[in-house]
Amino acid sequence: MKIGICASLWTYPFNMQSLDILKKIENFGFDAVEFSIEDRSEDNLAAIKESLKKTNLACILGSSFVEGNLLSSDANTIKAGVKYVKESVDVCEYLGSGILAGPVYGSYINTDFLVPAVKNKARQQAVELLKEIGAYALGKNIKIAAEPLNRYETNFLNTANEAVEFVSEINLPNVGLNLDTFHMHMEEKSIKKAILNAGEHLFHLHVPENDRGTPGTGDVDWDGIAESLKNINFSGAIIMESGSPYAGEISKIGAFWRSYDYPPDKMAEEGLKFLRKKFSG
Ligand SMILES: [Mn+2]
């Protein structure tokens, strides 16, 4: 099982000014890095690709919508959403990332979703659009992992079960789930059972502590998670997606207002030590 970390512990979005972080992440001993790229210009992408090649890190592209949303009722916003996700698939292909992870449906809170007919319509629309985008990604051998988020970040997919139903309707071998221990700690009765139930649909796992701090310092049921991952023969990557107040836009989006356990470098070191111990072998 590959163990990685999100570059957003230090910086966000990822770009050609952030490249030193890659070597640092490799030197800590991680196998993989996850980041979101908003500047998709040729120069920026080429510089990132070049730097990645100088490491042995596997790379996972995170999806974070700047514009566009597959759940919108506005035609232009939907169009921008489809363009964003398809472009993300292209970026995956270019960088050699086999997976696009995150809230690929477009995360936001639409209180009109309390009316079941409104939510169902948006859901159906997202299913159809992700069938089309998923087929596009399948042609490039790239997986798409949709991430349920906690109730303060979306009211579309909050639980693993909702997400399993959603991707089952899309019904493509390369469209599955990205679960996250921080969100699950708020929304699931049992993280261990949620992972078991997700089974083969689970492609990718974010493993921050329950407060978004360093894995191993809080209440997350790490033994239960390790057991479930073994039971479902999980072959994806586990990614430390912890937060810090030093990463610009993502600190604001994620409400990372304070330092957690240690400064970011020490969080990475301690987190990796714990994850290796818990999840190796
Ligand atoms: Mn996450």
Side-chain angles (χ1 to χ4, degrees):
M1 189 185 314
K2 282 194 164 64
I3 300 179
I5 190 164
C6 283
S8 57
L9 183 59
W10 295 274
T11 187
Y12 179 93
F14 198 79
N15 57 40
M16 58 202 291
Q17 278 81 46
S18 333
L19 298 174
D20 289 350
I21 289 171
L22 295 176
K23 256 287 165 244
K24 177 152 102 168
I25 288 173
E26 186 179 45
N27 288 340
F28 281 134
F30 287 96
D31 312 310
V33 60
E34 178 172 330
F35 48 62
S36 298
I37 303 172
E38 302 304 355
D39 171 5
R40 280 129 189 236
S41 65
E42 229 176 283
D43 283 0
N44 194 47
L45 292 177
I48 294 171
K49 184 174 178 167
E50 202 49 44
S51 277
L52 259 179
K53 269 201 301 200
K54 291 182 190 147
T55 73
N56 289 313
L57 295 170
C59 140
I60 294 108
L61 188 69
S63 161
S64 53
F65 282 83
V66 182
E67 49 190 311
N69 195 315
L70 305 188
L71 302 169
S72 176
S73 54
D74 172 70
N76 285 332
T77 309
I78 299 168
K79 213 171 133 189
V82 172
K83 182 170 175 269
Y84 177 83
V85 187
K86 277 195 174 166
E87 264 177 22
S88 302
V89 169
D90 294 339
V91 172
C92 282
E93 184 184 33
Y94 179 75
L95 294 179
S97 161
I99 185 161
L100 172 68
V104 289
Y105 43 86
S107 68
Y108 72 150
I109 295 191
N110 178 354
T111 49
D112 291 342
F113 283 179
L114 283 172
V115 179
V118 175
K119 188 168 181 178
N120 284 339
K121 191 171 172 233
R123 185 175 191 281
Q124 212 39 51
Q125 173 179 298
V127 165
E128 294 309 320
L129 293 171
L130 278 168
K131 273 186 183 173
E132 180 203 325
I133 299 165
Y136 177 75
L138 188 58
K140 296 171 183 276
N141 204 18
I142 286 159
K143 288 181 175 171
I144 296 178
E147 181 179 24
L149 307 175
N150 75 73
R151 65 192 69 184
Y152 302 109
E153 295 183 39
T154 187
N155 61 345
F156 182 60
L157 296 179
N158 296 133
T159 67
N161 274 350
E162 287 174 326
V164 166
E165 280 174 22
F166 180 64
V167 300
S168 298
E169 267 183 60
I170 295 164
N171 195 23
L172 285 169
N174 64 324
V175 179
L177 260 59
N178 168 192
L179 293 177
D180 179 312
T181 47
F182 168 76
H183 300 298
M184 283 197 283
H185 209 263
M186 268 186 259
E187 303 297 343
E188 304 291 347
K189 300 283 191 198
S190 156
I191 297 181
K192 178 180 163 176
K193 282 187 194 153
I195 290 175
L196 264 187
N197 292 340
E200 61 180 6
H201 297 292
L202 183 63
F203 290 175
H204 191 62
L205 184 65
H206 288 157
V207 289
E209 194 45 86
N210 62 286
D211 62 350
R212 275 256 184 253
T214 314
T217 58
D219 265 352
V220 169
D221 174 16
W222 296 107
D223 288 329
I225 292 170
E227 195 186 316
S228 287
L229 290 179
K230 215 169 249 176
N231 277 331
I232 65 168
N233 292 318
F234 180 73
S235 60
I238 60 172
I239 301 289
M240 181 173 154
E241 192 192 32
S242 295
S244 81
Y246 315 111
E249 216 35 51
I250 199 71
S251 303
K252 295 180 204 165
I253 297 167
F256 309 147
W257 308 128
R258 62 192 165 82
S259 245
Y260 294 96
D261 317 295
Y262 322 100
D265 285 9
K266 176 101 166 142
M267 284 176 83
E269 269 176 313
E270 294 296 322
L272 179 62
K273 226 187 284 171
F274 175 79
L275 293 170
R276 282 259 182 256
K277 196 170 69 190
K278 238 359 129 185
F279 293 98
S280 294

